[in-house]
Amino acid sequence: MRYLPHTEADRRAMLQAIGVPSVDALFRDVPEAVRLKQPVDLPTTKSEIEVERALMSFAQRNLGTGSAPSFLGAGAYRHHVPAAVDHLIQRGEFLTSYTPYQPEVSQGTLQYLFEFQTQVALLTGMEVANASMYDGASSTAEAVMMANRVTKRDRAVISGGLHPHYREVVATHARHLGFALDFAPPDPEGKEDLASRIDDKTSCVVVQNPGFFGQVRDLSALAEAAHAKGALLVVVVTEIVSLGAVTAPGDMGADIVAAEGQSIGNPLGFGGPYVGLFATREKFLRQMPGRLCGQTVDADGQRGFVLTLSTREQHIRREKATSNICTNSGLCALAFTIHLTLLGEDGYTRLAALNHAKAVQLAERIEKEAGLAVVSDSFFNEFTVRLKKKNAAEVVEKLAAQKILGGVPVSRLYPKEAGLADLLLLAATETTTEEDMTALIGALREVA
Amino acid sequence: MSQNPHGTVTGNRGLQLEEPLIFEQGVAGRTGVDLPAAPQVKSRLGKAARKGTIGLPGLSEPQAIRHYTRLSQKNFAIDAGMYPLGSCTMKHNPRLNEKMVRLPGLADLHPMQPQSTVQGALALIDTLAHWLKTLTGMPAVAMSPAAGAQGELCGVMAIKAAHEAKGDHGRKVILVPESAHGTNPATAAACGYSVESIPANERGRVDLDALKAKLGPHVAGIMITNPNTCGLFENDIVEIGKAVHAAGGYFYCDGANFNAIVGRVRPGDLGIDCMHINLHKTFSTPHGGGGPGSGPVVLSAALAPYAPVPFVVHGPDGFKLVEEEAGEAAKAFGRLKGFHGQMGMFVRALTYMMSHGSDGMRQASEDAVLNANYIQARLGDIMTAPFPGPCMHEALFDDRFLNGSGVSTLDMAKALIDEGFHPMTMYFPLVVHGAFLIEPTESEHKATLDQFIAVMRSLVERIKKGDTQFLHDAPKLTPRRRLDETLAARKPVLRWRPAAPERQAAE
């Protein structure tokens, strides 16, 4: 077996040094009745050639977004990742290192985390950011639980424009930890009035911007309304490229930003692993979940970095920790920070402008050439379309039969809401071509 | 940098290069990405269009490549050498895994594509699920948890849902051994439970009588790591499971140490109800400097109905992804993350499993256990082991052998770094004073273990002779020496700021 270095002679020599006759003797604490005498009933060892063949046979049964016009979004976006990103994250010193608990031999990881935290703080307009969470949905749940701790209240108001998976994840935590949620209904038109739901028991208002249905909103008034009642504003961002074109949540009064960072540096990968971003105001620092990297000096007085403020975390505080999170998304955070470093201010804002322009082109053509109504009165790179046919899911299946990945039917995420069945989410990014749009519109004219 | 410990003009130490922050070298207007020009359109951003700059630095591609290459060279990694972090299973990460996860048709799949277009992906998840169920002897598995700690949440939430489904709302306590990972009590608390601690016996195992005394109608379940965090197999585990079940509770097994027993013991035969599997430990998906992980949870028949969405089932037209808490998921306890789980980790783990096969995985576990016992045997005469052997996949020592020397476990760890080894896990488990938890994994060959053993022996010899100052000074040969963690916590500097030059802060 190519990954196991011992020869039989090595094993014999080691057993002799230990003073046992066979490896079975080392398993003597395992009760006799449960010791497996034979390998389990699974295939035996395979060469690289055979394993590659097996994995490729899985891959070949899928229609990848790289092989078809794709307009899929709803919280995961296809973007071009520069070649340098994937090259750098595969350096073994990054790929095969552990959490940087030994800072003297982990300065590479620690410095990029410090830079990552700074980048996330800058994008979101917040003061501090952590070293990443699992994904946007779990970040959002952590944000609500943090707001509960900060305000010592236990009821959160959840926008109808929050991604349904995020709503479900927050609800799951609420059910098990025991706090209350006030869900506004799904809001395709972007007309909800969240301010009227806030009272002096509200810990936070959670709103996604751009919203699940596409709308881009100025949240300043909502922030004021929340703060007037002593509640926090949690802003969720599922398309992080948007912040190159949209006002930063921090500049609109957000107290916590929970975001999905997949769009920068990370492939779609069928939904994971992604990278949760988490940023807040400095005054809430001690209530933050997750790992934090901080600057310090070494014994020679040189600048260096360490994991810090770990008295918030489970390995120190155990049942009193701010979260049970341990492993986060280090490698995805690395991909994020490398891609963003390559983009820089100029590249990032131009990328955002390009995404928006592609989406506007698509929306205009949908309206003019396909004769369909765009429901979203504003949007960044994704918007909601109302189809003439009542069942958007069926339309999407028909498009798929023509090898067009024609967006996400809202019913996939809101199966119980009959009134949303004719809504289709369409996204465009810098990877979308005019030919892709022409193919989609031609097909939509036939089937939608 | 004019003053530095190496006396060089640059601050560099040979080819080990100092590297400023990106914010200290970037300039506005420079970029490492060329993009096509955006078509002219009328903005539809509404009233929230960004005004003003963000403050991101601009670097060209060659600058960025150098930056991250230099940073990488300040890291130790499995690729570079032995990384015997106990409880972390730092085994070799096969590069075939990385090649497979990047295949077109896997890497470029969108999670919300029509299911008819992702049948291969669903088949892959189903295949991995089959391997995990077969290896653990459990009937069901929840694939979506993002990491071990989220897997723990998954298991404890399923336990809670199962009690509630029976109308049993009186169980408010989860029992956790003193030696447990911190995530266990943190998880129980995150599910609204209070935590009661179970003591260990003199053999480093759960004290069965103390456990039985704590059981009752108020106990929802127990969380036990097996093999435990002392590197020992809980030989009363079948009894423990029976006692917990007799008291109406459920048995959560923390699978962090599954690598010791893959192919030799099926946790399902031990009477457990759920166990998370860290794909990034046992099944070689890369640790990546702290994630991403993946923590599928195998479930007993009693807990399987409460598994979270989504999950894959066999439908009439092929594989089907159940995403809604209805129908076959009517009892699901909820959802833990967006989309369907850590697919990139599933591909890597399945690649590892297929490469090893059932025989190779069994051999890997045997070699992991052999390696740990070899270390324990070769160091047992000069270091002090709190519990008699044999151990499983990790060897545990305490710090009694350092008594009176003025040397701490930390000092030993830092001296190991100067010898080119990553330190073992220190001061964990908490039940052992000054713990050294050494997990070599099956990836290390005998020559490396012999070198590690020789280094440890030479350190102890020097301590015995009173030659200890070098230990307090270590490490000396690293990109940075011991860092001031107190300063970092007392005056947190968590980001770069243009107004506060960091050199000032450093002085």
Side-chain angles (χ1 to χ4, degrees):
Chain A
M1 211 286 130
R2 59 192 175 276
Y3 303 134
L4 300 175
H6 291 329
T7 62
E8 278 309 314
D10 291 333
R11 292 187 181 108
R12 276 195 304 276
M14 293 169 74
L15 287 168
Q16 197 171 8
I18 297 165
V20 293
S22 74
V23 77
D24 290 336
L26 302 176
F27 286 86
R28 71 177 184 218
D29 287 326
V30 177
E32 176 73 30
V34 299
R35 286 183 214 165
L36 294 177
K37 304 295 183 285
Q38 299 295 327
V40 293
D41 183 18
L42 288 167
T44 52
T45 184
K46 294 275 184 293
S47 65
E48 274 209 14
I49 301 168
E50 293 166 293
V51 177
E52 279 199 38
R53 210 172 278 147
L55 269 292
M56 282 172 72
S57 79
F58 287 116
Q60 284 159 357
R61 290 162 63 192
N62 303 315
L63 177 64
T65 59
S67 324
S70 170
F71 301 88
L72 297 153
Y77 300 88
R78 178 167 177 252
H79 289 287
H80 178 74
V81 178
V85 175
D86 202 42
H87 168 79
L88 287 167
I89 68 166
Q90 286 191 79
R91 287 189 65 91
E93 302 93 326
F94 288 136
L95 186 74
T96 74
S97 59
Y98 193 67
T99 304
Y101 288 133
Q102 296 288 339
E104 299 90 341
V105 288
S106 312
Q107 285 298 303
T109 297
L110 287 160
Q111 183 169 332
Y112 85 64
L113 288 176
F114 186 79
E115 293 172 345
F116 169 85
Q117 289 174 183
T118 307
Q119 288 172 321
V120 173
L122 287 169
L123 292 192
T124 55
M126 303 303 285
E127 289 163 349
V128 289
N130 75 11
S132 81
M133 311 294 286
Y134 305 130
D135 68 355
S138 57
S139 252
T140 303
E142 293 277 7
V144 174
M145 292 188 281
M146 176 174 147
N148 290 348
R149 290 193 295 274
V150 167
T151 60
K152 299 187 170 64
R153 299 175 183 181
D154 66 352
R155 187 174 151 279
V157 173
I158 311 289
S159 162
L162 179 64
H163 192 294
H165 282 177
Y166 291 44
R167 285 164 65 104
E168 290 168 32
V169 172
V170 174
T172 300
H173 283 272
R175 197 181 306 153
H176 290 89
L177 185 55
F179 58 90
L181 297 172
D182 173 14
F183 282 110
D187 180 37
E189 266 93 33
K191 292 191 172 136
E192 67 186 0
D193 171 21
L194 291 175
S196 66
R197 291 175 179 265
I198 305 169
D199 61 27
D200 54 14
K201 292 191 175 60
T202 306
S203 64
C204 64
V205 187
V206 182
V207 59
Q208 179 177 323
N209 201 45
F212 173 71
F213 296 97
Q215 282 84 7
V216 183
R217 290 192 272 186
D218 179 357
L219 302 170
S220 308
L222 184 61
E224 280 172 29
H227 295 158
K229 297 272 167 107
L232 306 188
L233 177 66
V234 175
V235 176
V236 175
V237 182
T238 60
E239 169 50 293
I240 198 69
V241 172
S242 68
L243 295 181
V246 174
T247 305
D251 294 339
M252 301 191 209
D255 298 287
I256 306 173
V257 179
E260 174 53 68
Q262 172 268 327
S263 281
I264 304 280
N266 287 278
L268 285 170
F270 202 47
Y274 290 173
V275 50
L277 313 180
F278 195 101
T280 188
R281 307 231 170 256
E282 204 144 24
K283 62 183 174 184
F284 303 137
L285 185 59
R286 307 268 162 182
Q287 292 299 336
M288 257 180 124
R291 289 177 185 145
L292 286 166
C293 173
Q295 180 180 307
T296 186
V297 295
D298 79 348
D300 290 330
Q302 299 214 90
R303 177 174 70 184
F305 303 93
V306 292
L307 291 180
T308 192
L309 299 176
S310 53
T311 47
R312 303 161 299 112
E313 293 185 71
Q314 47 76 24
H315 62 283
I316 307 291
R317 289 279 279 173
R318 300 176 79 84
E319 65 267 29
K320 295 187 182 68
T322 55
S323 163
N324 85 332
I325 193 169
C326 177
T327 291
N328 53 23
S329 289
L331 197 66
C332 302
L334 176 64
F336 178 98
T337 191
I338 295 172
H339 190 180
L340 195 54
T341 296
L342 283 163
L343 285 165
E345 178 98 14
D346 187 56
Y348 179 64
T349 51
R350 284 197 299 125
L351 178 65
L354 181 54
N355 270 258
H356 183 56
K358 293 277 189 182
V360 171
Q361 277 189 322
L362 179 65
E364 287 173 353
R365 291 186 65 182
I366 291 278
E367 288 163 333
K368 283 180 199 143
E369 298 174 34
L372 298 171
V374 172
V375 176
S376 324
D377 60 359
S378 61
F379 58 84
F380 170 62
N381 69 353
E382 184 172 24
F383 51 83
T384 304
V385 172
R386 193 177 297 282
L387 302 182
K388 291 166 191 161
K389 294 270 167 54
K390 286 292 165 218
N391 192 326
E394 280 176 14
V395 170
V396 165
E397 286 292 346
K398 285 179 185 163
L399 295 172
Q402 300 183 41
K403 295 211 183 309
I404 296 169
L405 296 169
V408 179
V410 170
S411 62
R412 172 92 182 253
L413 290 133
Y414 273 122
K416 288 175 189 143
E417 301 278 346
L420 306 178
D422 59 349
L423 298 181
L424 180 66
L425 290 172
L426 289 173
T429 71
E430 75 283 1
T431 65
T432 310
T433 64
E434 295 218 10
E435 294 74 31
D436 292 342
M437 295 186 200
T438 302
L440 174 70
I441 285 157
L444 278 176
R445 286 164 67 131
E446 282 173 37
V447 302
Chain B
M1 227 176 266
S2 56
Q3 283 189 325
N4 67 75
H6 321 304
T8 55
V9 176
T10 52
N12 296 336
R13 184 164 178 265
L15 299 186
Q16 204 173 80
L17 300 160
E18 285 297 302
E19 181 62 13
L21 296 167
I22 50 173
F23 307 98
E24 295 160 344
Q25 49 181 312
V27 296
R30 191 192 283 142
T31 183
V33 180
D34 293 322
L35 289 163
Q40 289 297 312
V41 295
K42 188 164 172 286
S43 168
R44 288 170 79 158
L45 287 169
K47 291 175 193 158
R50 184 186 263 277
K51 299 167 196 77
T53 57
I54 301 164
L56 297 172
L59 279 73
S60 63
E61 179 173 307
Q63 288 176 299
I65 295 268
R66 281 215 179 132
H67 179 70
Y68 292 103
T69 301
R70 289 174 180 185
L71 290 190
S72 76
Q73 290 167 341
K74 300 176 196 298
N75 272 3
F76 192 78
I78 311 169
D79 279 4
M82 184 168 160
Y83 213 124
L85 266 180
S87 197
C88 301
T89 313
M90 298 298 283
K91 64 168 69 181
H92 172 61
N93 298 155
R95 286 314 188 276
L96 181 62
N97 301 0
E98 297 303 310
K99 185 177 177 187
M100 293 301 96
V101 78
R102 287 167 173 80
L103 285 177
L106 292 175
D108 62 350
L109 290 187
H110 190 283
M112 291 284 111
Q113 288 184 215
Q115 294 187 20
S116 57
T117 65
V118 292
Q119 285 295 303
L122 300 180
L124 190 152
I125 295 173
D126 188 66
T127 304
L128 178 61
H130 172 71
W131 283 68
L132 292 174
K133 287 185 286 187
T134 306
L135 287 171
T136 56
M138 298 286 279
V141 59
M143 295 297 290
S144 69
Q150 204 178 50
E152 292 182 29
L153 278 179
C154 175
V156 175
M157 285 177 177
I159 288 171
K160 190 167 194 173
H163 285 305
E164 286 175 358
K166 288 188 276 191
D168 186 347
H169 301 281
R171 296 179 184 266
K172 306 287 187 199
V173 173
I174 295 272
L175 302 179
V176 178
E178 288 169 342
S179 60
H181 297 113
T183 47
N184 293 174
T187 298
C191 295
Y193 287 112
S194 59
V195 176
E196 283 185 23
S197 188
I198 323 167
N201 63 23
E202 71 291 346
R203 295 172 53 256
R205 272 84 170 180
V206 168
D207 185 325
L208 186 59
D209 291 330
L211 163 66
K212 284 180 175 168
K214 283 199 177 271
L215 287 170
H218 63 295
V219 174
I222 184 170
M223 299 179 84
I224 290 186
T225 308
N226 188 41
N228 69 23
T229 59
C230 299
L232 303 169
F233 195 88
E234 290 283 354
N235 46 349
D236 288 330
I237 190 152
V238 177
E239 281 285 296
I240 291 171
K242 283 179 183 160
V244 171
H245 287 151
Y250 290 102
F251 186 171
Y252 186 100
C253 183
D254 181 324
N257 294 336
F258 190 38
N259 198 49
I261 57 170
V262 177
R264 298 255 352 172
V265 181
R266 297 187 307 173
D269 295 335
L270 305 175
I272 68 164
D273 290 294
C274 50
M275 179 178 94
H276 76 261
I277 300 165
N278 303 85
L279 298 186
H280 50 294
K281 295 181 180 177
T282 311
F283 298 110
S284 84
T285 74
H287 282 77
S294 182
V297 178
V298 288
L299 297 163
S300 63
L303 294 186
Y306 308 101
V309 291
F311 51 82
V312 175
V313 296
H314 299 241
D317 309 317
F319 292 101
K320 190 176 107 180
L321 196 56
V322 178
E323 298 175 284
E324 190 195 354
E325 290 174 51
E328 52 258 90
K331 292 184 182 171
F333 73 68
R335 168 185 280 278
L336 285 168
K337 74 184 295 296
F339 308 120
H340 324 310
Q342 306 284 64
M343 182 66 169
M345 299 299 143
F346 300 163
V347 177
R348 291 174 171 100
L350 185 62
T351 302
Y352 169 96
M353 289 176 165
M354 286 183 160
S355 295
H356 280 76
S358 59
D359 49 341
M361 285 190 278
R362 184 178 163 104
Q363 185 67 58
S365 289
E366 290 178 2
D367 285 353
V369 171
L370 178 67
N371 284 356
N373 277 283
Y374 185 66
I375 286 175
Q376 194 178 55
R378 296 280 315 273
L379 293 177
D381 60 325
I382 52 156
M383 293 173 72
T384 42
F387 310 113
C391 60
M392 298 302 287
H393 64 303
E394 51 196 357
L396 176 64
F397 297 97
D398 58 29
D399 63 358
R400 282 175 296 160
F401 73 99
L402 294 173
N403 280 351
S405 68
V407 173
S408 67
T409 302
L410 180 77
D411 296 330
M412 291 279 287
K414 299 301 184 191
L416 264 182
I417 294 176
D418 274 342
E419 295 288 350
F421 289 95
H422 194 280
M424 63 293 288
T425 292
M426 307 175 293
Y427 303 104
F428 180 86
L430 307 176
V431 292
V432 169
H433 198 269
F436 296 76
L437 188 63
I438 307 171
E439 182 180 2
T441 84
E442 71 276 14
S443 305
E444 298 306 333
H445 67 119
K446 183 168 174 294
T448 311
L449 299 177
D450 285 337
Q451 195 187 35
F452 175 80
I453 289 161
V455 168
M456 290 297 285
R457 295 191 74 89
S458 99
L459 294 177
V460 177
E461 294 297 327
R462 288 177 74 176
I463 292 167
K464 280 185 182 159
K465 289 181 192 146
D467 175 10
T468 56
Q469 188 55 44
F470 79 100
L471 289 150
H472 303 302
D473 295 340
K476 282 183 157 170
L477 306 175
T478 44
R480 286 293 181 271
R481 297 187 54 210
R482 287 194 205 192
L483 290 125
D484 188 341
E485 304 202 12
T486 310
L487 173 68
R490 211 178 54 231
K491 290 186 185 168
V493 179
L494 305 174
R495 58 174 288 192
W496 175 84
R497 281 180 201 277
E502 44 303 313
R503 197 161 307 154
Q504 214 168 37
E507 287 158 7

